[in-house]
Amino acid sequence: MTDAPVAREYRTGSDPRTLRDALGCFATGVTVVTCLDSEGHPVGLTANSFTSLSLDPPLLLVCVAKAAASAGPLSEAEHFAVNVLQTGQQPASITFSTRVEDRFGCTAWALGEHGVPVLMDSLSVFECARRAIHEGGDHYILVGEVKKATFESGLDPLLYFRGRYRRLHFD
Ligand SMILES: Cc1cc2nc3c(=O)[nH]c(=O)nc-3n(C[C@H](O)[C@H](O)[C@H](O)COP(=O)(O)O)c2cc1C
């Protein structure tokens, strides 16, 4: 006989690792959020806190850690892009979430119509005008108004669940 699984529990004051593990039960896609800094250099970081927010007006949001180097440029830029990654872009997700000297030097990209860096071969790309920035604890909530969206219909999404990259699989 096997024991019944025991649910783990977080309460105020518990180890934050337990809260992270609980939040990690929410499976997400993976994005790279990009902009140009005030000197025109491309900036970007991997983010899975992306959410669609409104259809009319067309809004989306992404949460950026205040401690992230990209937080300053992203909160100052007039435009930013959310690049939704496909399975073949796992290397880009790793590049944009780790200490890589020149993230854009090892990733194929181009400037989009709104002057934002767009990663080539992404599953979808949302080019946005910055609409609002809200405080959210140790993160900023960056709200963008979608000016242009493009997507590929034949590619599979890169997923993230319980701290690991995953792929869709259907029975
Ligand atoms: C799958 C995944 C999702 C992530 N999601 C976010 C996120 O939503 N917001 C965030 O600020 N950092 C997120 N990170 C962490 C940043 O990508 C990481 O801290 C990055 O190095 C920040 O770069 P920067 O300091 O150059 O801005 C995520 C990392 C991974 C691997």
Side-chain angles (χ1 to χ4, degrees):
M1 209 173 86
T2 52
D3 292 335
V6 180
R8 292 171 57 206
E9 188 175 273
Y10 169 88
R11 286 165 194 265
T12 308
S14 298
D15 181 357
R17 180 73 242 175
T18 313
L19 177 59
R20 284 179 74 124
D21 291 349
L23 293 169
C25 293
F26 186 58
T28 67
V30 181
T31 75
V32 171
V33 183
T34 54
C35 70
L36 293 182
D37 69 13
S38 56
E39 293 176 343
H41 300 127
V43 169
L45 86 167
T46 300
N48 67 344
S49 55
F50 168 66
T51 305
S52 59
L53 177 60
S54 165
L55 276 179
D56 186 16
L59 302 177
L60 56 73
L61 70 81
V62 63
C63 303
V64 180
K66 290 178 179 174
S70 313
L74 277 169
S75 52
E76 286 162 16
E78 289 300 314
H79 292 87
F80 66 91
V82 178
N83 301 267
V84 177
L85 305 189
Q86 43 94 7
T87 50
Q89 291 175 302
Q90 186 174 327
S93 178
I94 294 167
T95 296
F96 283 87
S97 61
T98 52
R99 284 171 184 256
V100 171
E101 185 82 21
D102 181 10
R103 289 175 173 168
F104 286 86
C106 48
T107 311
W109 65 283
L111 277 185
E113 273 173 38
H114 294 86
V116 282
V118 165
L119 302 195
M120 309 308 283
D121 303 319
S122 295
L123 185 56
S124 60
V125 179
F126 300 88
E127 292 180 50
C128 302
R130 189 191 62 214
R131 176 76 176 248
I133 299 168
H134 303 288
E135 295 273 336
D138 57 7
H139 281 58
Y140 293 118
I141 304 164
L142 187 59
V143 177
E145 178 169 348
V146 180
K147 294 293 181 184
K148 182 183 176 188
T150 54
F151 61 97
E152 294 283 341
S153 42
L155 298 171
D156 280 345
L158 180 63
L159 303 180
Y160 200 71
F161 175 60
R162 290 196 169 134
R164 286 176 52 195
Y165 293 103
R166 317 275 182 158
R167 288 161 187 249
L168 283 179
H169 61 90
F170 298 106
D171 294 330

